[in-house]
Amino acid sequence: MIETLRSAILGGEFAPGERLHEVKLTARLGVSRTPVRSALQKLASEGLLDYAPNRGYAMRDFPVDEIISAYEVRAVLEGLAARLATERGLTAVHRALLERALADGDQLLAGGALSPVDRGVYRDVNSTIHETIHAAAGSRMLADMVRLCQHVPVSSPRNVVAFEVRDVRRRHDDHHRIVEAILSRESWRAEMLMRDHVASVKTSLIRSLTGSSTAEAAPVDGRASV
């Protein structure tokens, strides 16, 4: 149920500032108020919703310039994480997690089409790859700084916005190349590949959110096609 609501939010079904009423969502989703309330609390903790006492939950507005800044910093930090993970080497656990996530992504894309349910599957694949590399870097300060960037929720690998097959396939091909470089102990290549990967995700995301080929600083329309 939380994935259904997350997909609706990221899919632009609610306008910026629009209130999300528990009763209306209960009727829409066909569930009781308890799981709806729990889902709203979770999505607010992820930064997708604003909460105000006595007013409840409302859609956040995401300025494009804020998203751009978060991705630019993320590109540098995650590139460093990939380099450190390469230099320090992967543990057997880290390697197994990455290989499993890559295989799951391959299987997801094998059918040539994606459904709304697949968004949650790919979110897990994407977040596992990025978070495993962060962990393998072995730097608590670096991990904390990456999490700070992810306070801009659209920049978090747990929130997949651009979900066309071509976008997902391109990102997952990047994942394969990054992991290959890490396993080959090519630290410089791993860093550059990760930086390019995050930068390319930023470009496709901004394009999808603004309906434009340029990433100009302007308010994001919550109803934009993604």
Side-chain angles (χ1 to χ4, degrees):
M1 197 278 296
I2 189 171
E3 286 303 329
T4 301
L5 189 53
R6 181 186 280 109
S7 295
I9 290 170
L10 294 174
E13 295 184 26
F14 302 98
E18 180 177 348
R19 292 183 62 191
L20 278 69
H21 298 276
E22 286 185 16
V23 175
K24 292 181 179 179
L25 290 174
T26 295
R28 172 175 173 168
L29 299 172
V31 296
S32 67
R33 293 183 67 174
T34 299
V36 169
R37 186 178 300 114
S38 176
L40 291 172
Q41 291 172 347
K42 173 65 174 175
L43 294 170
S45 73
E46 294 177 3
L48 286 175
L49 302 175
D50 285 327
Y51 174 76
N54 303 319
R55 290 185 56 82
Y57 298 91
M59 268 296 301
R60 279 193 61 183
D61 188 11
F62 304 112
V64 174
D65 55 355
E66 185 178 351
I67 299 171
I68 291 172
S69 294
Y71 268 97
E72 289 172 343
V73 176
R74 259 192 67 195
V76 175
L77 294 176
E78 296 212 45
L80 175 58
R83 176 164 63 83
L84 291 176
T86 305
E87 292 173 350
R88 294 173 180 175
L90 298 178
T91 66
V93 172
H94 290 149
R95 180 167 183 161
L97 285 169
L98 290 172
E99 290 177 346
R100 180 70 263 171
L102 290 174
D104 289 344
D106 292 342
Q107 183 177 359
L108 184 68
L109 289 162
L114 297 170
S115 70
V117 175
D118 292 331
R119 185 191 294 268
V121 177
Y122 183 70
R123 182 206 65 188
D124 291 341
V125 167
N126 191 52
S127 60
T128 295
I129 291 170
H130 284 266
E131 290 170 7
T132 300
I133 292 173
H134 301 163
S139 171
R140 180 175 178 178
M141 179 177 291
L142 178 58
D144 288 343
M145 294 176 72
V146 171
R147 279 194 292 272
L148 181 61
C149 292
Q150 294 172 2
H151 287 175
V152 180
V154 183
S155 76
S156 170
R158 290 186 173 277
N159 290 324
V160 179
V161 179
F163 198 59
E164 300 294 334
V165 171
R166 64 179 181 178
D167 292 316
V168 176
R169 190 177 302 279
R170 182 167 57 247
R171 292 197 296 260
H172 196 58
D173 287 345
D174 286 349
H175 290 155
H176 273 284
R177 286 188 287 270
I178 292 165
V179 173
E180 177 186 7
I182 292 174
L183 292 174
S184 299
R185 306 302 290 268
E186 299 176 85
S187 58
W188 180 86
R189 181 166 175 259
E191 180 173 9
M192 292 301 102
L193 286 170
M194 180 62 87
R195 292 180 69 160
D196 287 346
H197 169 64
V198 176
S200 68
V201 173
K202 178 196 71 174
T203 300
S204 64
L205 172 60
I206 299 303
R207 184 182 298 119
S208 71
L209 289 172
T210 62
S212 169
S213 60
T214 59
E216 297 177 339
V220 173
D221 182 349
R223 297 189 184 278
S225 174
V226 294

